[in-house]
């Protein structure tokens, strides 16, 4: 019996936490590598519509073969009347008028051209293949999307992507 | 003095620092991927051609949406957008096995290896002719046609049957929206088209090769295997997705 009593008296040794930083760093690196940060924070308000069976744009992002433009309501609601249908276009965080609003009508074409010219020389994709991803608000009028499309057609940037939020495949429809 | 040991640095707070960094990245990053429907825009035509070929009514599947976000397919008005994919399935499948001219849906034609060889020889002759005159545009056009027939020939070989039934060349899906139609309706139409076409392609691919089209495509995007490319080409010839987006009038 004396044997057991001895055991109870001994206090538990302190746990060695020296490897804890290693574990946490590992997690940290995982998140740093696995996530992509948002290109820009849009300067317009927008809620993406939902859809399924979409294409993942990550490979294009990794190759920088994609440019994003936002179409949504201006942050300041009083300014909405200055834009066609009350929706503003945001190109690289600069709020532009919609194609026939306040500013020059070829804002999209000029922006896309500039972006293409700034890409590094090792990028070999021609402008026809560089995607322009339209991130439009769910209630934005389609006419504006077609205005953008027209601008892109004029400069031969012939690939467009209509952004949606993926809700997964609807099981009932399968 | 010189022999005094350097005291060990307490690394106990290292974990705290690492946690802080970890939490920062957790909070600032968004996990959701960018998802979209990728479409190509037709090239701009400088001089509009004068005599456009007539497109038969049966070859057009017009999906329309008005400014009140009401949907219409072939003069049938409905509110549930899920019905669009059923229409598209019928559009493709009505004449798939056997031509049914009495139905108002596109007819299928049969391509054989012999026909491919014949057309390819024709195209080669035409390229030669165009080269002689120096019409580079025409030569380019014929060589792309030659390429197409070559692709078809490869597809028939992979298909393993003597002939391949393909939908009318003019058969297409047309999206007609109005200026004020909500963007969500526009993407919903794209969603339904994608759903129907992918369902057809998946089923066919499973039947022929034992795995769905989406899986093959995903693998091809990663590894660019030539064998996968041939499979994708065949399935895309069997069920082509020809989509026309009509610019709304003011």
């Amino acid at each position: 019996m004396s044997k057991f009593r001895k055991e109870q008296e001994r206090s538990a040794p302190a746990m060695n936490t020296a490897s804890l930083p290693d574990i946490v760093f590992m997690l940290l690196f995982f998140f740093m590598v696995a996530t992509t940060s948002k290109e820009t924070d849009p300067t317009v308000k927008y809620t993406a519509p939902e859809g399924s069976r979409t294409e993942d744009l990550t490979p294009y992002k990794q190759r920088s073969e994609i440019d994003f433009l936002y179409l949504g309501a201006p942050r300041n609601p009083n300014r909405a009347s200055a834009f066609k249908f009350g929706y503003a276009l945001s190109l690289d965080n600069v709020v532009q008028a919609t194609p026939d609003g306040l500013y020059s009508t070829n804002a999209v074409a000029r922006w896309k051209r500039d972006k293409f010219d700034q890409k590094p020389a090792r990028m070999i994709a021609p402008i026809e293949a560089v995607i322009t991803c339209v991130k439009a608000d769910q209630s934005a009028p389609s006419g504006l999307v077609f205005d953008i499309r027209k601008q892109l057609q004029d400069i031969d940037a012939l690939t467009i992507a209509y952004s949606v939020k993926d809700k997964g495949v609807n099981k009932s429809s399968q | 003095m010189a022999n005094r040991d350097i005291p060990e640095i307490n690394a106990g707070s290292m974990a705290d620092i690492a946690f802080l960094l970890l939490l920062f990245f957790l909070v600032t990053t968004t996990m959701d991927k960018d998802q979209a429907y990728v479409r190509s825009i037709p090239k701009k035509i400088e001089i509009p051609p004068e005599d456009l070929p007539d497109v038969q009514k049966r070859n057009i599947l017009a999906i329309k949406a008005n400014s009140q976000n009401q949907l219409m397919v072939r003069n049938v008005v409905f509110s549930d957008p899920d019905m669009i994919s059923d229409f598209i399935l019928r559009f493709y499948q009505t004449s798939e096995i056997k031509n049914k001219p009495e139905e108002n849906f596109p007819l299928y034609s049969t391509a054989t290896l012999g026909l491919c060889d014949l057309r390819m020889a024709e195209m080669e002759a035409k390229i030669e002719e165009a080269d002689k005159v120096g019409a580079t545009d025409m030569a380019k056009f014929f060589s792309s046609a030659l390429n197409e027939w070559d692709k078809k020939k490869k597809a028939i070989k992979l298909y393993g049957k003597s002939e391949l039934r393909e939908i009318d060349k003019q058969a297409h899906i047309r999206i007609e929206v109005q200026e004020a139609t909500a963007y969500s309706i526009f993407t919903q139409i794209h969603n339904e088209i994608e759903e129907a076409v992918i369902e057809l392609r998946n089923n066919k691919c499973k039947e022929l090769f034992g795995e769905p089209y989406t899986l093959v495509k995903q693998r091809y995007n990663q590894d660019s295997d030539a064998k996968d490319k041939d499979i994708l080409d065949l399935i895309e010839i069997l069920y082509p997705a020809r989509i026309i987006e009509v610019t709304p009038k003011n």
Side-chain angles (χ1 to χ4, degrees), chain A residues 6-51:
Chain A
K6 210 174 178 184
E7 209 99 331
Q8 275 174 348
E9 278 163 12
R10 206 197 285 164
S11 62
M15 202 164 63
N16 186 4
T17 54
S19 57
L20 189 60
D22 298 353
I23 295 164
V24 177
F25 267 119
M26 205 167 68
L27 273 172
L28 174 66
F29 286 134
F30 169 74
F31 276 99
M32 281 171 71
V33 171
T35 56
T36 49
S37 56
K38 223 182 254 172
E39 299 281 292
T40 48
D41 233 1
T43 36
V44 289
K45 278 188 271 183
Y46 99 105
T47 325
E50 282 191 336

Side-chain angles (χ1 to χ4, degrees), chain A residues 35 51-57 61 134-135 137-138 140-143 153-154 156 158 160-164, chain B residues 18 22 26 29 31 33-44 179 181-184 191 194-195 245 248:
Chain A
T35 56
S52 60
R53 295 287 190 197
T54 52
E55 201 171 319
D56 182 13
L57 299 177
K61 270 170 95 178
V134 179
K135 293 195 158 198
D137 186 81
Q138 54 183 357
S142 307
Q153 190 183 36
D154 286 347
D156 273 347
L158 298 178
I160 193 166
Y162 305 112
S163 173
V164 290
Chain B
L22 174 64
L26 270 175
T29 53
M31 274 300 240
K33 289 183 256 172
D34 274 309
Q35 305 272 352
Y37 301 113
V38 180
R39 297 281 178 265
S40 33
I41 306 171
K43 209 171 164 64
K44 201 178 179 187
E179 272 208 315
T181 307
Y183 178 68
S184 60
N191 186 169
E194 205 80 354
E195 222 165 70
E245 295 155 287

Side-chain angles (χ1 to χ4, degrees), chain A residues 75-96:
Chain A
R75 288 249 179 250
N76 179 358
N78 297 331
R79 286 201 63 208
S81 57
F83 301 103
K84 188 183 176 186
F85 292 116
Y87 281 86
L89 191 63
S90 168
L91 307 173
D92 286 337
N93 276 353
V94 180
V95 176
Q96 307 280 337

Side-chain angles (χ1 to χ4, degrees), chain B residues 175-228:
Chain B
I175 302 172
E176 291 177 37
V177 293
Q178 291 186 343
E179 272 208 315
T181 307
Y183 178 68
S184 60
I185 298 294
F186 180 63
T187 54
Q188 184 101 54
I189 294 171
H190 277 293
N191 186 169
E192 290 296 316
I193 294 171
E194 205 80 354
E195 222 165 70
V197 172
I198 285 183
E199 192 188 319
L200 287 168
R201 288 179 176 178
N202 270 349
N203 289 347
K204 196 67 171 182
C205 201
K206 254 189 228 162
E207 182 191 316
L208 295 173
F209 306 102
E211 52 186 356
Y213 167 82
T214 37
L215 196 82
V216 179
K217 183 150 195 197
Q218 209 179 355
R219 198 171 56 218
Y220 176 71
N221 281 343
Q222 277 166 7
D223 312 331
S224 308
D225 187 2
K227 214 178 127 239
D228 287 339

